[in-house]
Amino acid sequence: MIANIVKPGHKTRGVLNYLYGPGRANEHTDPHLVASFDDFVPDPGRNPAATLAQLADVLDLRVKQASHKAPKNHVWHCSIRAAPEDRHLTDDEWATIARRVLNATGIAPAGDPDACRWIAVRHADDHIHIVATKVRGDLRPPRNWNDFLRADKELVAIEKEYGLRQVPRGDRTAAKRPTRAEQEKARRTGSTRTSREHLRTIVRTAVSAATTTEEFFRIIEGTGTLVNVQYFPSGDVRGYKVALDDDTNAQGEPVWFSGSTLAPDLSYPKVTARLAATEATPAERTDATAWRRFALAVDQIPDHLARCEDEAGQAHITVLAEALDALPLVTPAGLRPQLVQAATVFERASRSRIRAQHQQAQATRRAVKAILREPAPKDGALLAIVLDALLLAVIAAQHWHLARDHHQQAEAAQRAAVPLCAAYRAAAAEPLTALHHQGRRLAQWLLERRAAAVRQALPDLAEQILTEPGWPALAATLNDATAAGHDPTALLAQAARHRELDTATNLSEVFTWRLNRLREPAAGKPSRTKAAGRVLPGSTSSPQATQPASRPRRR
């Protein structure tokens, strides 16, 4: 169940007109009272003799008695909606829910004869509206501070008691939703997104690409977006706001949004905090390509989340979101829709109440920005390895949030994994096919030798791996690793420790990508042999050995 408490109004009759009216799209059916402060309250929905004016006068009685002492915006309005899959609640059940919410919020405490006057109206199967006037019987205002959180806490208990869907609760770090007016404006102009959502994507992408605040503003302006930077009298930047060039109000002026109204982490102070350490910290000098360093950095995120403090973990999740925001800019056009969708959904998972220590994730942040300054890899295997590592990191972020009761963030990470997995599948199809053909061409004695290594390293999993369609691709990878000087048995054992395997549905494919990440030395170290890159020249290594966290099925 979800409660929505709107900003207090000053026209009781206006609210009643909406509740008992046809609705904006004639969606209101059979409006009637399910509960009220008094059993004799007139109900215009069921009593033909009752009028809306009579009902408004009853609710406003104490407001008129209090006269000038009454608050100007005295109308308290709360809607409570059940989930689409919840059962049909009866009027009596909705009445009980209304009374519990009114008690929890302090509008009408149970047993208080001086509680505010209120009604609960039902005009649809799945929700009710509660309207109250904020003047008590003693003509004082109610103590309803923090009413939304108190109502939400009561709804959590109601969901459990009534067997309803337990809605993931937020922590007030979500980006502000577009208003109804913004949504209607977008529909009128034929846009699939509101200006707020479009600008949020532009600014988030600029943060992922920029290395300085000056470059951050230049990137935004380069998209054709209007930027207005505000300054203190000292000349220091105070903040910024952005607007779409073709989005104007009734006066023909741009509709501006400050960074903080787009999302809590896009305010100017928070953007500068993410960029400051990047500016101050020099990049490591290495011969590895930017994409190899990026794959290695992303591959380490699950281990960071499993081992580091919460503040550092939040920093790594923030950078993971930046990686997803940046990737559609440099990947093949066929993968962009899935990657854009993954980045958009994961945005909710990028923030929590935990304050991030961004300095702890600067190596990954530099790797993200570096891939935007280097051409995308022509080697499809390297791109598949990158997407596979990102998918593991997103799943690890889901479990990190679940362990801390960040329900909305965990759900967002879980949903982001779906389009990301689709993008990985599309990118991996061609290189896996090439490896499969290479494995089919191996001599029988070589196949038997690689199978023996699998049985020795993974006795409990060997028979499943050897009967899977992906076994030839893994055999080719093992053969190439052996030619590069690796011990295949030791490499398989290391790969088995590297991540859990209980939920994998295609073990041979999992081990193929793990081996291709592990068999190359870490970025910046000399290769043991040039033969190591013959099959997948874009693969990278990963120095970590364990990852105890479990994850849901991904293949």
Side-chain angles (χ1 to χ4, degrees):
M1 280 191 160
I2 297 176
N4 180 33
I5 301 176
V6 301
K7 186 177 180 180
H10 64 283
K11 293 183 178 180
T12 306
R13 176 64 184 272
V15 177
L16 297 180
N17 285 341
Y18 168 72
L19 298 185
Y20 280 91
R24 292 185 175 91
N26 295 315
E27 73 274 21
H28 295 175
T29 59
D30 187 25
H32 62 278
L33 292 182
V34 295
S36 64
F37 73 96
D38 185 271
D39 292 337
F40 298 100
V41 170
D43 181 6
R46 293 291 172 85
N47 183 0
T51 65
L52 292 179
Q54 292 174 336
L55 181 56
D57 288 341
V58 169
L59 290 173
D60 282 339
L61 176 63
R62 290 173 178 169
V63 177
K64 295 177 181 177
Q65 291 173 341
S67 185
H68 64 279
K69 294 182 181 180
K72 179 181 178 180
N73 295 320
H74 60 268
V75 182
W76 187 85
H77 182 190
C78 171
S79 62
I80 303 174
R81 185 178 298 274
E85 62 270 29
D86 284 338
R87 64 181 175 84
H88 184 91
L89 297 173
T90 66
D91 281 358
D92 288 340
E93 288 175 318
W94 276 119
T96 301
I97 291 170
R99 290 189 175 92
R100 289 181 61 170
V101 170
L102 287 161
N103 175 65
T105 56
I107 293 292
D112 184 354
D114 288 330
C116 297
R117 295 190 165 203
W118 61 273
I119 60 171
V121 177
R122 182 178 188 177
H123 55 207
D125 290 338
D126 62 348
H127 70 278
I128 60 169
H129 291 261
I130 305 173
V131 178
T133 47
K134 295 176 59 177
V135 178
R136 290 169 42 82
D138 52 16
L139 303 186
R140 294 185 302 169
R143 301 182 63 182
N144 66 311
W145 55 273
N146 221 11
D147 50 5
F148 173 77
L149 292 180
R150 292 157 70 181
D152 195 57
K153 183 178 180 180
E154 184 66 23
L155 290 179
V156 171
I158 290 171
E159 288 170 349
K160 294 178 181 177
E161 294 176 25
Y162 282 69
L164 306 176
R165 179 195 173 193
Q166 297 183 28
V167 178
R169 256 58 197 188
D171 54 7
R172 308 182 81 174
T173 62
K176 185 178 179 180
R177 294 178 181 177
T179 64
R180 179 185 291 269
E182 291 171 358
Q183 293 172 342
E184 292 177 351
K185 185 176 182 179
R187 283 194 291 268
R188 288 196 306 270
T189 58
S191 177
T192 57
R193 293 189 300 171
T194 65
S195 296
R196 185 191 301 270
E197 293 168 319
H198 190 187
L199 288 168
R200 184 184 302 135
T201 300
I202 292 173
V203 175
R204 286 184 63 85
T205 304
V207 173
S208 68
T211 56
T212 65
T213 53
E214 292 79 9
E215 187 180 14
F216 168 67
F217 291 130
R218 286 199 303 271
I219 291 173
I220 296 176
E221 290 175 336
T223 65
T225 303
L226 304 178
V227 180
N228 186 335
V229 182
Q230 292 96 42
Y231 296 90
F232 287 111
S234 63
D236 295 330
V237 176
R238 179 170 61 90
Y240 72 98
K241 55 185 180 179
V242 292
L244 295 178
D245 185 46
D246 58 352
D247 183 26
T248 57
N249 57 22
Q251 291 73 39
E253 300 170 341
V255 179
W256 296 99
F257 295 87
S258 66
S260 59
T261 60
L262 296 177
D265 59 343
L266 296 181
S267 67
Y268 182 74
K270 292 189 177 180
V271 169
T272 55
R274 290 156 71 178
L275 298 179
T278 306
E279 298 174 11
T281 308
E284 298 176 5
R285 299 187 65 179
T286 172
D287 294 332
T289 67
W291 283 86
R292 293 191 185 192
R293 295 196 303 272
F294 177 64
L296 174 62
V298 172
D299 193 50
Q300 293 173 334
I301 289 177
D303 289 305
H304 291 313
L305 295 179
R307 298 172 181 174
C308 64
E309 298 293 331
D310 283 359
E311 292 79 5
Q314 178 59 58
H316 285 290
I317 289 178
T318 301
V319 175
L320 175 58
E322 293 178 17
L324 293 172
D325 288 332
L327 211 56
L329 299 175
V330 289
T331 48
L335 301 178
R336 287 173 193 165
Q338 298 98 317
L339 294 177
V340 168
Q341 184 183 358
T344 301
V345 174
F346 191 79
E347 184 263 345
R348 179 64 190 99
S350 65
R351 294 181 302 272
S352 73
R353 303 293 290 182
I354 299 172
R355 188 180 182 89
Q357 291 182 349
H358 294 298
Q359 296 82 359
Q360 301 296 321
Q362 286 310 313
T364 307
R365 181 170 280 112
R366 288 195 300 272
V368 171
K369 299 179 189 305
I371 64 170
L372 298 176
R373 291 157 176 80
E374 184 173 296
K378 296 181 180 179
D379 175 21
L382 176 54
L383 184 57
I385 288 173
V386 166
L387 294 176
D388 183 65
L390 281 168
L391 183 57
L392 284 171
V394 166
I395 294 170
Q398 175 196 349
H399 285 273
W400 188 88
H401 282 305
L402 276 177
R404 290 153 184 82
D405 294 325
H406 300 164
H407 300 293
Q408 286 189 353
Q409 290 90 332
E411 185 181 71
Q414 184 180 31
R415 289 190 293 114
V418 176
L420 188 58
C421 185
Y424 156 75
R425 283 291 183 197
E430 185 175 343
L432 278 175
T433 300
L435 280 172
H436 183 84
H437 290 326
Q438 183 177 341
R440 300 278 292 184
R441 291 195 299 267
L442 290 178
Q444 186 62 34
W445 67 271
L446 276 176
L447 282 173
E448 292 175 357
R449 198 173 273 188
R450 304 307 165 229
V454 172
R455 291 189 178 95
Q456 182 178 351
L458 309 168
D460 296 333
L461 304 173
E463 295 310 313
Q464 178 181 344
I465 292 173
L466 296 176
T467 56
E468 288 180 345
W471 160 240
L474 177 57
T477 303
L478 283 170
N479 194 61
D480 194 76
T482 304
H486 291 284
D487 180 349
T489 303
L491 201 62
L492 281 166
Q494 183 183 359
R497 295 192 303 269
H498 187 55
R499 298 283 190 273
E500 60 85 27
L501 296 165
D502 295 339
T503 58
T505 59
N506 193 328
L507 288 173
S508 55
E509 185 177 329
V510 170
F511 276 104
T512 295
W513 295 126
R514 290 187 188 180
L515 293 183
N516 277 285
R517 288 203 293 269
L518 290 171
R519 69 183 180 85
E520 291 250 1
K525 295 183 180 180
S527 300
R528 296 174 59 180
T529 172
K530 293 182 180 179
R534 288 187 301 186
V535 175
L536 295 179
S539 59
T540 65
S541 70
S542 180
Q544 62 269 34
T546 61
Q547 167 61 331
S550 63
R551 58 178 172 79
R553 191 176 298 273
R554 70 182 183 90
R555 291 198 175 95

